[in-house]
Amino acid sequence: LSGGPSSVYEVDSPHVKEEVWEYIEENKIPVLGICYGMQEITYKFGGIVSPSPEREFGRAFIEKVEDPEVVNLANLIMEGVEHSQMWMSHGDKVTKMPDGFVRIATTSNSEFAAFACAERKMFGLQFHPEVTHSIHGKTLLRNFAVGVCNSPTDWNMSNVAEEFIKEVRERVGPDGQVIGAVSGGVDSSVAAVLMHRAIGNRFHAVMVDNGCLRKNESALVVHRLKEALGINLHVVNASERFLDELSGVTDPEKKRKIIGKLFIDVFQEEATRIGQVDFLLQGTLYPDVIESISYKGPSATIKTHHNVGGLPATLKLSLIEPLRELFKDEVRELGIALGLDEESVWRHPFPGPGLAIRVIGEVSEPRLRILREADNILIEELHTAGIYREIGQAFVVLLPVQSVGVMGDSRTYENVCAIRCVTTTDFMTADWYHMDYNLLGRISNRIINEVRGVNRVCYDISSKPPATIEWE
């Protein structure tokens, strides 16, 4: 049972249906409740969940209970997780366990950081073991899935590729045509290679230059996908259309919606140009789905993603999303299994709306030029320092703020930019990268000296949660 933003005691909170609980009871199915899932177990079986006087977001250190009477039960899922950093994201906590449950872990803020019931085979965790920064989270999940649930361990990425290729051939048929967006990022590259292997040149890759791409992006994508991999690729320069539509728009959700709608419009035009096309390939990942869909829960809508939001009712193409159930680290693993070059596989992700959501406020060509140059310097320096792959995502944000400076004995009043570098593998959580000060100083000096229009550089030291990786 997963986490979620609701409080179990609120009127409109989502709850597990009674018939599901009955099914679990009848079939003796093990249950692991994570965060809200733990609180749902508490609510169902008569415990108490209360607002916490001190909310927890980010790192917390859990201690396994060493009571001899519960240690064997605790070890079912916490073997190898005695004292460990885990990631918290909650405002409520369990203040009274249900009858039959025992405490198996604590934190400084949560008396019941984890509990268990041997009779019901139920476990509850206030923290999130599934995220990157929960150090032994994978061990805990393996203990539950393999140790408690007796799951086999014979799954691998090659199976994903083979299954997808088989499925797409059956769905598209011997004559079907597919059009797909590519950007040069790992998601679209892996999706494109999969589709190319499935149906060859009946897959039409299209790169839309929306005017918000990184420096020299179009040329790099043509080289990597068309020239190196033989993918049937066509580049559409729609820069003016996108920038005209974005003129005067400052709200980030409106930017995403505008770009998403125009993105689909361009694709429909390309489909018409190609001829009979019935399918649209998209590189949607599982975090995109989680962050874009709301129950009203199970997750609050954090932001609209270009792949999963803003699709008009007039869309005439059926979606194919081979990566929809994968996380970023799994997509990279799949890319390696498919034989993609390391530079493509390990390239940092780039958002569909591009630099439009990294220019905070109104988007214009002069501001995009400033951001492109600053961002290019950052990436160059990370490669030179040999730390690019240590970082999950790195980019520069141009702020709608100007500051006073002194350059060449003259007063300046120019733009401020922020550097964002985070460590993560799943992109559901992230921590800021603790960069060497000398390198950070060199990057700042280069940006200020080489990019006209910038006189101040800041470094973002926010984790996710509570901040997101992108600023918009």
Side-chain angles (χ1 to χ4, degrees):
L1 304 178
S2 74
S6 301
S7 296
V8 290
Y9 47 77
E10 291 178 346
V11 175
D12 293 329
S13 297
H15 293 290
V16 177
K17 290 184 178 180
E18 193 58 39
E19 50 264 43
V20 176
W21 286 121
E22 291 171 1
Y23 181 81
I24 289 169
E25 178 71 24
E26 289 168 6
N27 293 277
K28 305 299 180 189
I29 296 171
V31 176
L32 176 63
I34 295 173
C35 197
Y36 184 89
M38 177 193 196
Q39 295 164 14
E40 175 69 359
I41 292 171
T42 305
Y43 177 86
K44 163 63 182 173
F45 293 101
I48 297 174
V49 177
S50 308
S52 176
E54 294 181 19
R55 299 183 303 166
E56 282 187 297
F57 297 100
R59 292 182 184 85
F61 288 90
I62 63 162
E63 294 282 355
K64 185 171 74 174
V65 172
E66 296 297 342
D67 185 337
E69 293 185 9
V70 304
V71 70
N72 288 337
L73 177 59
N75 280 341
L76 286 177
I77 62 167
M78 298 195 67
E79 184 74 48
V81 194
E82 280 70 28
H83 173 79
S84 183
Q85 172 186 302
M86 294 290 176
W87 210 254
M88 291 282 195
S89 182
H90 69 98
D92 296 338
K93 65 180 182 180
V94 176
T95 52
K96 180 180 179 296
M97 293 186 297
D99 291 341
F101 285 75
V102 294
R103 177 178 62 180
I104 60 174
T106 64
T107 70
S108 60
N109 188 44
S110 295
E111 182 183 359
F112 308 111
F115 62 36
C117 177
E119 181 185 354
R120 298 181 185 274
K121 288 188 179 178
M122 287 188 182
F123 304 86
L125 310 174
Q126 185 57 71
F127 50 89
H128 288 266
E130 76 278 12
V131 303
T132 306
H133 295 94
S134 288
I135 301 300
H136 294 106
K138 194 177 291 186
T139 300
L140 194 153
L141 291 171
R142 168 177 276 273
N143 289 341
F144 178 73
V146 178
V148 176
C149 301
N150 300 313
S151 170
T153 57
D154 55 358
W155 186 88
N156 64 68
M157 273 297 168
S158 295
N159 294 346
V160 174
E162 291 166 8
E163 288 170 12
F164 170 74
I165 289 170
K166 180 181 176 183
E167 287 173 9
V168 81
R169 283 174 177 165
E170 290 175 357
R171 185 178 176 193
V172 174
D175 303 313
Q177 304 285 323
V178 180
I179 190 172
V182 296
S183 65
V186 62
D187 305 339
S188 64
S189 294
V190 169
V193 171
L194 277 171
M195 188 60 70
H196 180 67
R197 293 210 178 162
I199 61 172
N201 283 341
R202 290 189 288 127
F203 168 55
H204 305 267
V206 176
M207 179 178 185
V208 178
D209 185 343
N210 60 10
C212 301
L213 300 179
R214 289 171 287 198
K215 187 175 182 180
N216 301 325
E217 188 79 358
S218 293
L220 283 170
V221 172
V222 168
H223 171 71
R224 284 178 175 159
L225 298 184
K226 187 173 185 176
E227 296 170 4
L229 297 175
I231 290 173
N232 181 15
L233 171 65
H234 177 65
V235 178
V236 180
N237 188 344
S239 301
E240 287 189 18
R241 289 176 65 179
F242 278 87
L243 293 181
D244 285 347
E245 289 288 326
L246 290 168
S247 179
V249 178
T250 58
D251 180 79
E253 274 297 287
K254 286 184 179 177
K255 288 182 189 178
R256 288 178 176 272
K257 292 286 188 181
I258 287 168
I259 289 170
K261 181 181 182 304
L262 194 49
F263 174 84
I264 295 298
D265 289 346
V266 171
F267 260 71
Q268 288 182 315
E269 292 166 11
E270 280 302 295
T272 301
R273 181 189 65 80
I274 293 165
Q276 181 61 42
V277 177
D278 300 308
F279 298 92
L280 171 65
L281 174 72
Q282 287 193 331
T284 311
L285 302 192
Y286 194 48
D288 299 339
V289 177
I290 294 170
E291 292 186 343
S292 299
I293 296 174
S294 177
Y295 156 83
K296 271 177 358 185
S299 294
T301 301
I302 297 171
K303 58 190 175 186
T304 302
H305 284 263
H306 71 287
N307 281 342
V308 289
L311 300 181
T314 55
L315 181 65
K316 299 179 178 125
L317 305 172
S318 299
L319 283 178
I320 297 178
E321 298 173 301
L323 312 179
R324 187 180 176 88
E325 296 181 356
L326 301 181
F327 287 94
K328 180 71 70 175
D329 53 329
E330 294 174 312
V331 174
R332 287 197 168 113
E333 189 179 338
L334 179 56
I336 291 169
L338 290 168
L340 279 173
D341 65 279
E342 286 205 0
E343 189 173 355
S344 295
V345 169
W346 288 100
R347 199 170 190 218
H348 292 173
F350 188 63
L355 299 181
I357 58 167
R358 294 178 180 172
V359 171
I360 310 301
E362 185 174 0
V363 180
S364 66
E365 184 52 48
R367 290 179 66 74
L368 286 167
R369 178 193 58 78
I370 291 171
L371 182 55
R372 277 193 195 97
E373 295 300 329
D375 192 74
N376 191 60
I377 289 170
L378 169 65
I379 301 304
E380 275 184 4
E381 288 293 338
L382 296 182
H383 278 296
T384 301
I387 61 170
Y388 181 82
R389 280 180 56 172
E390 294 178 17
I391 299 169
Q393 194 163 359
F395 55 90
V396 175
V397 177
L398 187 63
L399 306 183
V401 174
Q402 290 182 299
S403 72
V404 175
V406 178
M407 299 176 77
D409 296 328
S410 298
R411 177 186 182 276
T412 62
Y413 190 58
E414 294 182 333
N415 295 285
V416 180
C417 68
I419 295 170
R420 179 70 158 151
C421 296
V422 299
T423 56
T424 183
T425 56
D426 57 19
F427 291 82
M428 293 301 294
T429 63
D431 197 10
W432 60 280
Y433 181 73
H434 295 234
M435 192 182 297
D436 176 77
Y437 287 167
N438 292 324
L439 174 58
L440 198 54
R442 185 161 65 250
I443 294 168
S444 175
N445 285 341
R446 279 198 62 193
I447 290 174
I448 292 170
N449 289 336
E450 297 176 29
V451 182
R452 286 190 172 274
V454 176
N455 69 357
R456 191 178 299 269
V457 175
C458 305
Y459 191 56
D460 183 346
I461 57 169
S462 310
S463 64
K464 176 187 180 180
T468 54
I469 295 174
E470 296 285 351
W471 280 44
E472 287 194 343

